[in-house]
Amino acid sequence: MPGVTPRVLAPSDSYLPTHGNTGYGVDRYDLELNYRPGTGRLSGRATLSAVADPALPGGALTAFSLDLRPFRVDGVLVNGERVARYTHRADKLRIRPVRPPAAGEPFTVEVRYTGTPRPVKTRDWGDLGWEQLEDGALVASQPIGAPSWFPCNDRPADKAAYRISVTAPSPYTVVANGTLESRTIGASTTTWVYDQPEPMSTYLATVQTGLYELVELADPGPRPVPQWAAVPPRLRARFDHDFARQPQMMAAFQDLFGPYPFGEYAVVLVDEELEVPVEAQTLSIFGANHVDGRRGCERLVAHELAHQWFGNSLSVADWRHIWLNEGFATYAEWLWSEVSGGAPAAAVAERTRARLARLPQDLRVADPGVRRMFDDQVYQRGALTLHALRTVVGDDGFFSLLREWTAVHRHGTVTTEDFTALARRRGAHSLDDLFTSWLYTPQLPELPRPRGG
């Protein structure tokens, strides 16, 4: 159509090329789920609003696929019509529509499915996705766990809006991404409907189900953000103490990073031990071991909150750029320490560099390789990269850069090259050597000396 810019779809992910699917992009997921915690049974209807790639060879989407674990598929419709053929094996639901969408044409896919969700088992990252708990379920999908509970185009660059409806027994509380749109109580079940209008990567979609008490956190900041939590009653006192400073943290991060990019923020505290907290868009999930009544894990509270800017609003276009999520969130821990009266970021950086210097120097931060995407050095050296940049350009230039970074790419996808190009355009200093040594060279550099130091 004249005056309409065709949608440009991202290529396959360089680290995980078999995950996700080409030929189309998704604009919206509408998920209607019915979950029975007692049996672990899940039945769902997923409706995807998508658009065919404008550059399709042959001019039509004659066949395409979705990522989905081994559920029983009860039916597939494309634009409301039964499809000519579909097959479901090796975690791919392959679909051949009767009337193929033309290149650039919007279309819908509806999939009905039932089964007991099982996590995606991986060699390097453990079990991912939907996990049955003793009393409920949690979802932690990064990076490839989303197909464990809904059919999707599972790659971070294909961001979409979501509506998630979950029906569960009435004693249970259900938390999902976005804003609670409605809660309808029936004879023995309650249907919870959440709306997430801002685009979201599939791995950030989540549903948390448990016997929780809902808690509101007051935000005293000049730009208040609604904040609340779902907490097991037995952990309420510890939670109240350990998360008491989260509203101040929100205010500080808005000053440093720019306005909070979503309508609200939630925390779910599961009554289980988790190795690490879990990030999701508009909410974070912590384990019972992350509250001790002494704020012993407050740095993790900062880390997960910072992901709402770095990872969720700004999402990586390809998994090799993961330091843009984890390095930035780790540096947010150091910044919170600094602004809240703890150790300054410079002192944390010196300690961190000394520790990393004792490790093998064999990782490139900007391209760590698929098996080391979540290596601690990606997190720590990523944060050191940002501190080195801050030291060279000064506080005013550095935080102005971060605020421009989050504003220009709000709700979009980003690459390392996007960040370094923006920094170079804004900087009065040459940054080529800094980025080469910190991001692309395995050998750990020395931290630069502060100006005038």
Side-chain angles (χ1 to χ4, degrees), residues 113-359:
Y113 59 103
T114 57
T116 303
R118 296 282 184 261
V120 178
K121 295 187 178 297
T122 69
R123 179 181 60 183
D124 300 310
W125 311 309
D127 293 352
L128 307 172
W130 188 289
E131 180 181 348
Q132 183 78 6
L133 302 178
E134 184 175 332
D135 215 341
L138 71 82
V139 173
S141 293
Q142 189 178 19
I144 55 170
S148 70
W149 63 286
F150 71 102
C152 58
N153 189 4
D154 192 29
R155 52 180 176 160
D158 194 20
K159 301 176 71 171
Y162 281 72
R163 178 184 179 274
I164 302 175
S165 170
V166 183
T167 299
S170 290
Y172 289 85
T173 295
V174 176
V175 183
N177 310 90
T179 301
L180 180 62
E181 192 175 79
S182 66
R183 183 173 63 176
T184 305
I185 300 174
S188 61
T189 63
T190 298
T191 299
W192 306 70
V193 180
Y194 288 84
D195 182 57
Q196 172 60 78
E198 296 89 2
M200 177 167 68
S201 299
T202 49
Y203 80 90
L204 295 168
T206 193
V207 169
Q208 308 294 323
T209 307
L211 300 173
Y212 297 126
E213 175 183 351
L214 297 180
V215 181
E216 288 190 18
L217 285 77
D219 188 341
R223 290 169 289 185
V225 175
Q227 298 171 59
W228 58 280
V231 182
R234 76 173 188 88
L235 299 174
R236 174 68 188 274
R238 278 188 274 171
F239 172 85
D240 286 348
H241 181 269
D242 288 6
F243 281 78
R245 300 205 295 180
Q246 182 181 281
Q248 289 78 13
M249 196 181 289
M250 175 72 78
F253 286 176
Q254 289 197 88
D255 288 339
L256 297 173
F257 308 146
Y260 180 71
F262 305 106
E264 60 184 69
Y265 181 61
V267 166
V268 177
L269 181 62
V270 302
D271 203 355
E272 305 265 345
E273 291 200 358
L274 301 181
E275 183 178 353
V276 293
V278 177
E279 66 181 276
Q281 192 154 301
T282 72
L283 65 98
S284 300
I285 301 94
F286 294 81
N289 52 310
H290 297 132
V291 289
D292 57 10
R294 299 186 301 276
R295 294 185 184 142
C297 291
E298 192 175 62
R299 69 176 184 85
L300 300 178
V301 178
H303 185 107
E304 301 309 322
L305 176 58
H307 271 313
Q308 301 305 319
W309 285 266
F310 308 111
N312 300 353
S313 177
L314 278 63
S315 302
V316 292
D318 188 285
W319 281 114
R320 70 183 174 89
H321 305 294
I322 187 63
W323 84 277
L324 293 173
N325 293 5
E326 301 302 347
F328 279 65
T330 300
Y331 196 58
E333 300 176 27
W334 305 359
L335 293 173
W336 173 245
S337 173
E338 184 172 288
V339 303
S340 65
V348 181
E350 291 286 356
R351 292 199 301 266
T352 301
R353 193 208 171 276
R355 178 171 58 82
L356 295 185
R358 297 191 290 270
L359 301 177

Side-chain angles (χ1 to χ4, degrees), residues 42-101:
L42 180 72
S43 59
R45 180 174 69 178
T47 303
L48 287 64
S49 300
V51 60
D53 188 340
L56 279 173
L61 189 64
T62 57
F64 61 94
S65 59
L66 303 173
D67 299 292
L68 181 64
R69 293 283 284 168
F71 289 90
R72 187 186 75 201
V73 175
D74 298 318
V76 179
L77 303 177
V78 174
N79 288 332
E81 295 184 331
R82 294 191 178 277
V83 299
R85 181 169 179 256
Y86 69 84
T87 60
H88 185 206
R89 62 175 68 95
D91 296 345
K92 291 286 185 182
L93 177 59
R94 292 178 170 83
I95 300 168
R96 187 175 295 277
V98 173
R99 305 175 198 274

Side-chain angles (χ1 to χ4, degrees), residues 403-440:
R403 289 188 290 271
E404 183 176 1
W405 175 240
T406 61
V408 168
H409 297 285
R410 185 180 175 94
H411 303 315
T413 58
V414 291
T415 67
T416 301
E417 294 74 23
D418 292 332
F419 180 71
T420 57
L422 180 63
R424 288 186 177 103
R425 285 199 302 272
R426 299 186 90 263
H429 308 268
S430 173
L431 300 174
D432 290 353
D433 289 346
L434 184 149
F435 287 135
T436 297
S437 60
W438 282 100
L439 293 175
Y440 298 101

Side-chain angles (χ1 to χ4, degrees), residues 319-404:
W319 281 114
R320 70 183 174 89
H321 305 294
I322 187 63
W323 84 277
L324 293 173
N325 293 5
E326 301 302 347
F328 279 65
T330 300
Y331 196 58
E333 300 176 27
W334 305 359
L335 293 173
W336 173 245
S337 173
E338 184 172 288
V339 303
S340 65
V348 181
E350 291 286 356
R351 292 199 301 266
T352 301
R353 193 208 171 276
R355 178 171 58 82
L356 295 185
R358 297 191 290 270
L359 301 177
Q361 308 295 302
D362 59 355
L363 181 138
R364 291 177 174 83
V365 176
D367 192 5
V370 64
R371 295 191 63 182
R372 299 186 67 182
M373 282 164 49
F374 302 108
D375 191 297
D376 188 56
Q377 288 192 61
V378 175
Y379 293 56
Q380 305 300 328
R381 277 196 60 166
L384 285 171
T385 300
L386 294 173
H387 189 74
L389 177 62
R390 177 186 177 187
T391 303
V392 168
V393 304
D395 279 9
D396 289 346
F398 177 74
F399 291 111
S400 177
L401 169 64
L402 291 194
R403 289 188 290 271
E404 183 176 1

